[in-house]
Each structure stands twice: as structure tokens, then as C-alpha cells.
């Protein structure tokens, strides 16, 4: 079992729709969770971080965390063609060494 | 803007050569990471460090080695490059209460 799992997609949504991206993780002691966006040929850039159960909203983005289910998600409202990218879920391991593991990423395509 | 730098950005080198990829950050972060990523594929953690003189291997077996003699510097070395090492190498750093910041990456081609 991978430590961090995502559906690789592609996930295709029409412009203006809500895109829902999901991620599960195996380390039950993990406390920090991140969503990154990566355009082709570029480095990942942070969209959201979330540390406690529940929802966290930032503009069109909402991160949701459920530690009991070991599940974290990202919702993108009013999707735009410029949102088309690969979205990476990252989980900081529970050990003090700070191991940061990424999922395989979900490719999102927003069609005009 | 994140203050983490990787050099070189692009490197084409012959088989058997020794190479060192540089990564430096000016943010004073304790934790630093090296990831390997092939085009269109996932990020694989190959090495990480949680402080000076403390390094760990990641989940992807790699023939590379790293060192962390100074907080700001985390170089990655390949003693004898092979075509199978052709990939993009991404360096990142973070503190306990921050996200990870990435450098621009080094695209390595071994011919």
C-alpha cells in the first residue's frame, strides 16, 4: 500500500463547475497535510495546508480533512481553464524526522 | 517568493561522470528534501534531512548520496552517472510550521 494515494485521473470538468480531488494516507499519526499544484515542466506550488479536522477555505479552494478516515480532499469552485494542472497531495509523517511524502497526483482538465 | 535555489538548471553529462547537484536555501529551514520526478510521473522522495549531519534515505532507492554540513546547503552527488539517472531532481525545504518550498529543479540528462 502506498503511503499517500490519489486517483491519477484525468479528471475532466466543464468551466465553472466544482472539481473534487481526493487523497488517502496510511500513517495514522500524520498531522500536516498539503495540496500543491504543478504545471507541466514546473515545480510544485502550494495551494492549501490543513492541520485539523474539518474544512479550510481560501478563495475558490476548500480543503477538507478527516483524520479518522485518513482522508483529505480539495474542492475547486468555479473551475477555470487555468486550473488545468496536476494536483499533488502531500502528507508529513508522524516521526520527528519530517518525512514528506507526495501522492502520485491527479490531473485536472477544465474544459472551456 | 521562496529563497531556495538549485544549480544547474539543466545538465547533460556523459556516462560514468561524477556529478553534484546543488541546493541552497536562505530561510533557515531545518528540513530539506530531494525528490526525483520523470516527466508526467509522480514525485519520489530519494533523500531527506532534518538538520545538520542528519540525513535519511527516502522511499525510492537511489544510487545518489547527500550531505548536510550546513543548514542552508544540501547537495546531491552521483559518483558515476548512468542513462537511468536521467530525470528531473527537485529540492525542497521546510520548517515545522510551514509548507515545503521548492527550487526550480535540475533537469539531468545522462548520455
Amino acid at each position: 500500500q502506498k503511503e499517500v494515494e490519489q486517483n491519477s485521473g484525468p479528471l475532466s470538468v466543464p468551466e465553472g463547475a466544482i472539481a473534487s480531488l481526493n487523497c488517502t494516507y496510511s500513517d495514522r499519526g500524520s498531522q500536516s497535510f498539503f495540496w500543491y499544484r504543478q504545471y507541466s515542466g514546473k515545480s510544485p506550488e502550494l495551494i492549501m495546508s490543513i492541520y485539523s479536522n474539518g474544512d479550510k477555505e481560501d478563495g475558490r479552494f476548500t480543503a477538507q480533512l478527516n483524520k479518522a478516515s485518513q482522508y483529505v480532499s480539495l474542492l475547486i469552485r468555479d473551475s477555470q481553464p487555468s486550473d488545468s494542472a496536476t494536483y499533488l497531495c502531500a502528507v508529513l509523517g508522524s516521526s520527528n524526522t519530517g518525512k514528506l511524502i507526495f501522492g502520485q497526483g491527479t490531473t485536472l482538465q477544465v474544459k472551456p | 517568493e521562496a529563497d531556495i535555489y538549485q544549480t544547474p538548471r539543466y545538465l547533460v553529462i556523459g556516462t560514468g561522470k561524477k556529478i553534484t547537484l546543488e541546493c541552497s536555501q536562505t530561510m533557515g529551514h531545518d528540513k530539506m528534501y530531494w525528490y526525483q520526478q520523470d516527466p508526467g510521473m509522480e514525485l519520489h522522495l530519494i533523500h531527506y534531512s532534518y538538520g545538520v549531519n542528519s540525513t535519511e534515505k527516502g522511499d525510492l532507492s537511489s544510487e545518489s548520496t547527500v550531505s548536510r554540513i550546513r543548514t542552508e546547503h544540501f547537495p546531491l552527488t552521483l559518483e558515476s552517472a548512468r542513462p537511468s539517472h536521467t530525470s528531473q531532481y527537485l529540492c525542497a525545504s521546510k520548517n515545522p510550521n510551514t509548507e515545503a518550498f521548492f527550487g526550480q529543479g535540475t533537469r539531468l540528462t545522462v548520455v
Side-chain angles (χ1 to χ4, degrees):
Chain A
Q1 181 190 6
K2 287 191 173 186
E3 292 182 69
V4 181
E5 294 211 53
Q6 297 179 252
N7 187 331
S8 59
L11 172 66
S12 183
V13 300
E15 184 175 355
I18 295 175
S20 177
L21 306 161
N22 304 314
C23 172
T24 58
Y25 60 95
S26 61
D27 183 349
R28 186 170 286 279
S30 297
Q31 297 293 324
S32 303
F33 307 87
F34 309 91
W35 282 100
Y36 284 80
R37 177 174 60 198
Q38 186 177 29
Y39 294 110
S40 180
K42 302 293 187 182
S43 297
E45 54 182 353
L46 182 78
I47 299 174
M48 297 277 290
S49 58
I50 188 166
Y51 304 100
S52 53
N53 280 329
D55 295 359
K56 179 181 178 182
E57 187 174 319
D58 184 0
R60 296 187 295 112
F61 299 95
T62 299
Q64 299 174 316
L65 175 61
N66 183 327
K67 290 183 181 178
S69 300
Q70 295 173 244
Y71 175 91
V72 58
S73 66
L74 179 71
L75 299 177
I76 306 174
R77 289 182 299 281
D78 188 23
S79 295
Q80 301 297 308
S82 59
D83 294 329
S84 299
T86 296
Y87 289 79
L88 303 167
C89 172
V91 178
L92 188 65
S94 56
S95 73
N96 290 334
T97 57
K99 186 178 177 183
L100 183 66
I101 296 295
F102 283 78
Q104 69 266 45
T106 298
T107 300
L108 173 66
Q109 298 172 347
V110 181
K111 297 187 181 301
Chain B
E1 189 172 317
D3 295 326
I4 179 165
Y5 308 100
Q6 289 186 244
T7 56
R9 291 287 311 280
Y10 303 93
L11 179 62
V12 180
I13 200 162
T15 297
K17 299 291 187 183
K18 178 180 178 179
I19 59 172
T20 295
L21 308 185
E22 302 288 349
C23 177
S24 295
Q25 49 96 6
T26 58
M27 298 172 281
H29 288 169
D30 289 333
K31 296 175 174 54
M32 296 188 74
Y33 308 85
W34 276 106
Y35 294 90
Q36 183 176 342
Q37 186 179 37
D38 293 328
M41 305 298 286
E42 64 188 284
L43 280 163
H44 290 288
L45 180 66
I46 52 175
H47 297 283
Y48 62 107
S49 167
Y50 45 94
V52 171
N53 294 325
S54 298
T55 62
E56 297 282 346
K57 288 187 179 294
D59 296 327
L60 181 68
S61 176
S62 174
E63 293 165 346
S64 58
T65 59
V66 292
S67 62
R68 188 89 183 277
I69 298 171
R70 302 197 319 264
T71 297
E72 61 270 22
H73 196 212
F74 190 41
L76 180 144
T77 298
L78 277 165
E79 290 292 334
S80 180
R82 294 208 300 268
S84 60
H85 296 138
T86 294
S87 190
Q88 172 156 267
Y89 293 84
L90 288 161
C91 180
S93 72
K94 79 181 296 297
N95 260 352
N97 297 319
T98 70
E99 70 270 26
F101 295 92
F102 281 85
Q104 291 186 296
T106 294
R107 196 171 296 277
L108 173 66
T109 303
V110 184
V111 298

